[in-house]
Amino acid sequence: MSDFFTNQPAQKWRKDSAMHYYRPFRQKLFCQKMLSTSVFGAIFAMACVAAVMSGCKVGPNFTKPETQMPAGWIEKAQQTPQTQPAVEKVNLSEWWKIFNDAELTSLINEAMAANLDVCIAKTRIRQARGNYGIAVSGIGPTLDGGSSYQRGQSGNTPVSNQYQAGFDSGWEIDIFGGVQRNIESAEAQLQASVESLRDVQVTLAAEVARYYIELRTLQQRIIITKQNLQAQQRSEAVTRKKFEGGFVSGLDVANSRAQVAATSAQIPLLESSERQAIYALSVLMNREPSALLERLSKSATIPIAPPAVPVGIPSDLLRRRPDIRMAEANVHSATANIGVAVADLFPKFNFGSSLGWSSADLNTMFNPASRLWSFGPSMSWNIFQSGATLANIDVQKALKDESLLTYRQTVLNAVQEVETALIQSQMEQEHVKALKEAVVQNQKAVEISTVLYSEGNTDFLNVLSAQQSLLNTQSSLIQSSGNVSLYLISLYKALGGGWDEDI
């Protein structure tokens, strides 16, 4: 890897003389005068003016990471001329409205306002804004005030009092841009915290929608299971009457009762999962688990959205996905931190002044004769630290490399999530079509086998098999219908939908 300001291999750069580190800056007039003249005061002032005007900042400047994105998606979203107009109206920031479910929209809005993860992310933005303010304050002067009183004696001298009060001010002139790079890093971290909040909102919207779809799917499965149970109970009653009349054996009765019991056993499990979905929704809204039981326990249909989705092109993810934007901001911050570390190689220049009063008598404290003042420039330079400064530069460069790799990984994961959601959504729609046909045929099988059994023309096992197949396919159809919506939710999440610019 090349060095960030010499563009030479790091090993060779490390072996050069100490002055080699300052090669880019020796060409600047203010640095030449500062290091070569003996008339320090005048040149110092000139250097400060030149530095402010030139805006010299050591270290590399941030450039957006280069990312090779595919030209298009492997899996194409289903978009027909009939659905295209509706697709164009989809607002990714509020994608859940395509389901046309007022309850779902209400739940997501309430969660956005109250969710604890959102609240935590907002506090981190406030922290980042405070850190940014701290960084910005480093560019300006400081002013400290103080006062003291001492009473003491030295040797055989009389006991005396000493009163002091005054002010001290200082101003570091950011000639090499270390403070500016620190501000740049803090600003990038502030942006990263904003993107983190947006990422939480994307996840939250998808989680609320997912639990809601699962809830409605479970409720529909409970309804279908209970309907099949009633049909099986009627068959069991018919079988029992036939047994009592001596037309069938006790085996048919046992089989019919076993079928009823097996179907009945599924209902408590489904109802348990239904409760758990409601509890999860309540917690996402920062409420106690039972808070939404009365509100959501009434069954409702599964929200179904148009299958077409405005997926755009893969490069749109760089603009939409908050996690990618956050990773980019982290690269920016890490790049600026290299400049902060490099600035430690150079001297620091300060203007300092003080104004105060010192007197042995409080009554004469503020007389002109008690006044003390000073003013003047100063320089400090950590010339030798056993390689600590250079090692810190290496650390910051490695952190930048890590952030670039994390950025690349985030982008690849984003593309994978979209492709996965696209194929899942498309294949699940095909699954639904096949299950609908299976349900139709199983209903016919139940009707025919029931009639044949009542006429004594078939074995009861055929009735049981047909009933069980019908229940299985109906339950699978409901689950698959819910999965279609769930995969659409996953796709909208993968596209980065669910956040608003107004933060």
Side-chain angles (χ1 to χ4, degrees):
M1 184 177 294
S2 298
D3 179 61
F4 50 82
F5 55 45
T6 65
N7 199 30
Q8 297 183 16
Q11 186 175 8
K12 183 178 184 304
W13 178 78
R14 207 72 184 279
K15 292 180 179 179
D16 288 343
S17 63
M19 287 304 295
H20 183 75
Y21 300 131
Y22 312 110
R23 178 179 295 172
F25 312 105
R26 293 204 307 272
Q27 298 174 359
K28 292 187 177 292
L29 179 61
F30 75 91
C31 289
Q32 290 176 330
K33 291 183 177 181
M34 181 182 65
L35 296 174
S36 62
T37 183
S38 60
V39 189
F40 180 81
I43 300 304
F44 179 82
M46 294 175 61
C48 293
V49 174
V52 172
M53 294 181 65
S54 65
C56 173
K57 291 192 289 187
V58 297
N61 292 321
F62 169 72
T63 56
K64 286 192 174 184
E66 294 183 4
T67 305
Q68 293 182 350
M69 301 290 287
W73 302 107
I74 300 173
E75 307 297 338
K76 303 296 183 183
Q78 295 185 8
Q79 293 185 353
T80 63
Q82 291 77 16
T83 59
Q84 187 65 35
V87 172
E88 293 175 350
K89 297 179 182 179
V90 174
N91 180 3
L92 277 176
S93 65
E94 296 180 315
W95 53 262
W96 49 87
K97 290 185 176 180
I98 65 170
F99 287 98
N100 292 318
D101 190 302
E103 187 67 79
L104 173 59
T105 299
S106 177
L107 288 171
I108 291 178
N109 290 338
E110 291 176 40
M112 287 292 185
N115 179 261
L116 289 177
D117 287 333
V118 170
C119 294
I120 291 171
K122 288 180 178 179
T123 64
R124 288 173 180 163
I125 290 179
R126 292 185 4 235
Q127 295 170 34
R129 283 174 179 159
N131 289 330
Y132 175 70
I134 293 172
V136 169
S137 68
I139 206 72
T142 61
L143 177 65
D144 298 313
S147 63
S148 66
Y149 163 72
Q150 291 182 337
R151 179 177 176 83
Q153 182 181 29
S154 176
N156 295 324
T157 61
V159 176
S160 63
N161 299 319
Q162 187 67 34
Y163 300 92
Q164 290 184 336
F167 301 92
D168 294 306
S169 65
W171 189 5
E172 179 181 344
I173 308 302
D174 190 32
I175 294 179
F176 299 104
V179 175
Q180 296 178 65
R181 289 297 192 195
N182 191 40
I183 293 172
E184 183 182 350
S185 176
E187 186 176 17
Q189 282 301 305
L190 173 57
Q191 184 61 39
S193 67
V194 171
E195 300 303 339
S196 178
L197 170 59
R198 290 168 174 168
D199 192 44
V200 169
Q201 291 176 324
V202 169
T203 301
L204 176 61
E207 284 294 287
V208 172
R210 180 174 69 86
Y211 280 118
Y212 184 77
I213 296 296
E214 289 179 354
L215 169 65
R216 297 313 188 193
T217 301
L218 287 164
Q219 289 175 339
Q220 291 302 308
R221 288 183 61 190
I222 291 171
I223 291 174
I224 287 296
T225 303
K226 288 182 176 180
Q227 289 176 351
N228 277 269
L229 177 60
Q230 292 174 355
Q232 292 169 10
Q233 288 172 336
R234 289 194 294 270
S235 296
E236 189 268 336
V238 171
T239 304
R240 188 174 61 254
K241 288 182 180 179
K242 284 194 169 189
F243 170 73
E244 292 171 353
F247 297 103
V248 298
S249 69
L251 179 60
D252 287 354
V253 175
N255 284 333
S256 64
R257 288 178 176 174
Q259 179 88 304
V260 169
T263 303
S264 298
Q266 297 180 32
I267 295 175
L269 297 178
L270 293 172
E271 290 178 340
S272 174
S273 297
E274 176 193 20
R275 285 291 184 98
Q276 292 175 47
I278 295 176
Y279 295 160
L281 285 168
S282 299
V283 172
L284 287 175
M285 297 169 62
N286 190 18
R287 302 176 66 179
E288 63 275 10
S290 61
L292 299 179
L293 279 176
E294 182 177 354
R295 175 177 171 182
L296 297 178
S297 291
K298 185 178 179 180
S299 299
T301 58
I302 302 171
I304 303 296
V309 178
V311 294
I313 57 177
S315 60
D316 288 343
L317 294 180
L318 303 180
R319 175 180 54 86
R320 290 176 182 169
R321 294 261 307 208
D323 56 343
I324 295 178
R325 293 157 62 102
M326 179 171 60
E328 180 183 309
N330 288 332
V331 174
H332 190 171
S333 177
T335 304
N337 284 335
I338 296 176
V340 176
V342 173
D344 289 337
L345 290 171
F346 299 90
K348 300 185 184 300
F349 301 91
N350 290 271
F351 279 123
S353 64
S354 63
L355 173 64
W357 295 265
S358 179
S359 175
D361 187 349
L362 186 60
N363 294 325
T364 62
M365 177 71 173
F366 297 101
N367 289 348
S370 301
R371 186 171 59 218
L372 304 171
W373 66 271
S374 66
F375 171 81
S378 64
M379 181 195 78
S380 63
W381 195 349
N382 293 322
I383 298 175
F384 181 73
Q385 287 186 317
S386 299
T389 301
L390 297 178
N392 186 41
I393 294 173
D394 289 341
V395 169
Q396 299 307 320
K397 289 167 64 178
L399 288 173
K400 179 195 172 183
D401 291 342
E402 179 185 353
S403 66
L404 282 169
L405 294 172
T406 300
Y407 175 85
R408 176 60 178 162
Q409 185 180 48
T410 304
V411 172
L412 287 174
N413 288 339
V415 175
Q416 178 192 7
E417 287 178 10
V418 175
E419 293 285 12
T420 300
L422 279 171
I423 188 62
Q424 287 178 327
S425 180
Q426 293 173 25
M427 294 300 101
E428 197 62 41
Q429 291 171 40
E430 296 297 323
H431 190 205
V432 167
K433 292 179 183 178
L435 286 172
K436 285 181 178 179
E437 178 62 23
V439 168
V440 170
Q441 298 305 321
N442 278 321
Q443 286 174 335
K444 290 182 180 179
V446 169
E447 293 172 1
I448 294 171
S449 62
T450 301
V451 171
L452 291 175
Y453 177 71
S454 64
E455 295 175 350
N457 294 324
T458 189
D459 191 86
F460 187 66
L461 290 178
N462 290 327
V463 177
L464 293 178
S465 177
Q467 289 178 338
Q468 186 61 49
S469 296
L470 177 60
L471 174 58
N472 291 340
T473 52
Q474 285 180 326
S475 182
S476 296
L477 175 59
I478 293 172
Q479 186 62 59
S480 184
S481 299
N483 287 343
V484 169
S485 295
L486 289 176
Y487 291 143
L488 283 177
I489 292 169
S490 297
L491 181 55
Y492 279 114
K493 178 186 176 184
L495 293 172
W499 62 273
D500 198 327
E501 287 279 2
D502 188 19
I503 295 181

